[in-house]
Amino acid sequence: MKILKTMICAVMLVAGLYGCEKLDMNKLEGTWSEQYDPAVFAMDGSVEYTFDGNNRYQMHVYDALSGESHDYSGSYAIDLINKGTITINPQMSDYSNVTYTLVKLTSKEMVWQKEGTTYSVGTWGSDYRHFVRVK
């Protein structure tokens, strides 16, 4: 029983230390395409963000149903010290100001979870956002 308790404590310690891994914001700069498992969630178009590293972004949205594309630009704010979050258009008080927890950020993949929400498959594309690096 003592060995089992020791092993559980060791696993919890490793998991806790892994969870404290720092996000490298240099990996954010570049172009990211929002993508999901098409067997579970099929997008009717595409969304790409390009982050410039100077708190500005460009967003390209393509709607496959209408065949139309739109480009948007704005700013973002990062809070790595307190929360590990990204806020899109932090200066806006309307619907465009939204904060996500950066769940994962590697050189090839990025995952956001909308602050105050919990992950579930039914929230892909809204509360849960998954991106892969384009360039």
Side-chain angles (χ1 to χ4, degrees), residues 40-92:
V40 178
F41 178 70
M43 292 180 63
D44 294 329
S46 63
V47 176
E48 283 187 1
Y49 279 91
T50 301
F51 296 97
D52 69 2
N54 293 313
N55 293 46
R56 301 287 303 159
Y57 73 88
Q58 298 290 321
M59 181 174 64
H60 178 77
V61 178
Y62 170 68
D63 181 348
L65 299 176
S66 69
E68 294 182 5
S69 292
H70 298 280
D71 293 308
Y72 304 92
S73 63
S75 62
Y76 64 93
I78 301 293
D79 181 356
L80 292 183
I81 296 170
N82 297 316
K83 300 186 202 175
T85 60
I86 182 169
T87 302
I88 303 298
N89 295 324
Q91 73 285 0
M92 305 294 276

Side-chain angles (χ1 to χ4, degrees), residues 94-113:
D94 64 3
Y95 68 92
S96 65
N97 173 335
V98 62
T99 299
Y100 296 91
T101 299
L102 286 157
V103 177
K104 183 175 190 178
L105 179 58
T106 68
S107 60
K108 296 180 181 179
E109 184 180 21
M110 177 168 58
V111 175
W112 299 351
Q113 181 69 45

Side-chain angles (χ1 to χ4, degrees), residues 28-47:
L28 179 65
E29 191 174 333
T31 302
W32 297 87
S33 176
E34 190 166 4
Q35 293 185 8
Y36 303 93
D37 178 351
V40 178
F41 178 70
M43 292 180 63
D44 294 329
S46 63
V47 176

Side-chain angles (χ1 to χ4, degrees), residues 3-30:
I3 293 172
L4 180 60
K5 286 181 182 178
T6 303
M7 288 180 65
I8 290 172
C9 287
V11 168
M12 290 176 65
L13 176 65
V14 169
L17 291 174
Y18 181 75
C20 293
E21 180 180 331
K22 294 287 183 191
L23 295 168
D24 180 359
M25 289 321 301
N26 293 324
K27 293 178 182 171
L28 179 65
E29 191 174 333

